[in-house]
Amino acid sequence: MKKKLAVVALGGNALLRGDQIGTIDEQEENTTQTLENLIFLINEGYDLVITHGNGPQVGNILMRNDAGEQLYNIAQMPVDICVADSQGGIGYMIERMFRNVLNRNGLTRNVVCLVTQVVVDRNDPAFNDPQKRIGKIYTREEADSLAMKKGWIFREEVKTDGGFRRVVPSPIPIDIMNHTIIGDLARQGNIVIAAGGGGVPVYIDEKNDVRPAEVVIDKDRASALLASMIGAEEFYILTDVPYIFINYKKPDQEIREFLDYADTLKYLREGHFAKGSMAPKIEACLSFLEKGGKMAVITEAFKLADKKYGSKITMEYEQ
Ligand code: ADP
Ligand code: MG
């Protein structure tokens, strides 16, 4: 029997919950719980590629950068380096937790973490419209001075108590470096952690050189692209809701457990999925199915086991 390959994207919540401050003990505990839920996929014979978000972690790295510059005059590192740092730190943690979870379940697998560059198009329209807020909140004076010194672009905060945050573009990923190696390693039975935080953002210049991009890439988009490039059969997005809902948080809210492509697209167009959170996940799932993926699942990180929970999207409706 041909083994199935699954890409599992761990959301911020799978590593760090909103009500926690982000100590390493908390992250290790959450990660372990999440990974325990993946054991059943391994026992069902799946090969696995793990991807992950890095929002809170890269946010902390950017703040340390800022503090280091102010206190000790340490040069700030660009966004690509910060993402690479976060891939190393988070990837190592997932790897070590996974080794321990495998050991406790009597399983033996290699677990390998790859610093992964993800390519964007320098002509992506997102470059003309930076929207993704990163790093700390500055006062107007600080923001003006940083804009002068570093050429950063700022936007005013609306939700919190004001202040300004740096915004960077979030272009669409077009290629995942080393994707054939990621796929091969996984199909040989190794658990591969890759494309963390949406990938280290790079672009290819006119001389074919690889250049860093001062952008962040959506982790769900990058994970979906990786999943289709390596021909994964299934794509799991683990987040902090057990199901996709329509009329979310309204009195007539309804769970959707089994969805087909057409209905999901209809719900997306009707605006059932919030822009910065669920909509990119749905778009990622739809693009995975368009490119030949068999099933995309969105569910809560801690509830994946035995497939009892979760919304399952397939090209044709099936139950
Ligand atoms: P992650 O950090 O795991 O990537 P996000 O916070 O970006 O997750 O997205 C998950 C969030 O999407 C949920 O916490 C939920 O509040 C929100 N959401 C928006 N619309 C919906 C919907 N229609 N059904 C379920 N969740 C939704
Ligand atoms: Mg979240």
Side-chain angles (χ1 to χ4, degrees), residues 47-197:
D47 291 320
L48 288 184
V49 172
I50 309 295
T51 66
H52 60 84
N54 70 346
Q57 294 87 353
V58 83
N60 290 348
I61 291 172
L62 290 162
M63 303 243 247
R64 267 183 241 137
N65 242 332
D66 181 89
E69 181 171 70
Q70 294 194 33
L71 288 173
Y72 301 113
N73 209 22
I74 300 170
Q76 290 222 33
M77 289 297 115
V79 173
D80 61 306
I81 300 288
C82 296
V83 175
D85 283 355
S86 80
Q87 282 190 350
I90 300 169
Y92 147 71
M93 181 191 62
I94 296 174
E95 177 180 328
R96 187 160 58 80
M97 297 303 115
F98 221 146
R99 286 176 187 277
N100 294 342
V101 167
L102 289 165
N103 178 44
R104 285 198 288 275
N105 284 275
L107 295 164
T108 315
R109 292 283 190 290
N110 291 309
V111 188
V112 56
C113 167
L114 297 176
V115 172
T116 315
Q117 296 170 54
V118 173
V119 183
V120 299
D121 179 354
R122 216 184 1 170
N123 298 314
D124 189 304
F127 280 93
N128 302 320
D129 182 27
Q131 289 285 353
K132 182 73 187 169
R133 290 160 198 267
I134 61 165
K136 67 176 258 190
I137 299 172
Y138 294 96
T139 63
R140 181 184 293 274
E141 295 70 40
E142 289 169 333
D144 286 347
S145 139
L146 284 165
M148 286 272 286
K149 258 193 269 172
K150 298 182 192 284
W152 290 357
I153 299 168
F154 287 87
R155 271 178 211 267
E156 194 156 10
E157 286 290 273
V158 276
K159 280 188 201 150
T160 53
D161 300 333
F164 291 79
R165 275 182 97 193
R166 183 178 177 202
V167 286
V168 294
S170 186
I172 287 171
I174 57 171
D175 193 13
I176 313 272
M177 286 201 187
N178 294 329
H179 66 270
T180 49
I181 293 172
I182 295 169
D184 289 349
L185 280 173
R187 288 193 196 278
Q188 287 158 16
N190 308 295
I191 295 168
V192 187
I193 304 159

Side-chain angles (χ1 to χ4, degrees), residues 11-12 219 239-241 243-245 248 272-274 276-278 281:
K219 77 110 177 31
T239 181
D240 55 3
V241 280
Y243 295 100
I244 296 167
F245 298 92
Y248 184 56
H272 288 282
F273 311 122
S277 56
M278 191 49 71
K281 296 186 197 314

Side-chain angles (χ1 to χ4, degrees), residues 194-254:
V200 178
V202 297
Y203 69 91
I204 309 295
D205 74 7
E206 53 288 339
K207 290 188 199 131
N208 252 354
D209 281 341
V210 184
R211 301 268 174 207
E214 278 291 282
V215 306
V216 294
I217 303 170
D218 178 73
K219 77 110 177 31
D220 296 308
R221 280 182 180 157
S223 305
L225 177 62
L226 174 61
S228 20
M229 290 187 93
I230 63 177
E233 280 80 8
E234 296 181 12
F235 176 41
Y236 293 79
I237 296 182
L238 303 190
T239 181
D240 55 3
V241 280
Y243 295 100
I244 296 167
F245 298 92
I246 58 164
N247 304 315
Y248 184 56
K249 289 196 168 157
K250 293 187 191 139
D252 52 349
Q253 163 178 307
E254 276 177 42

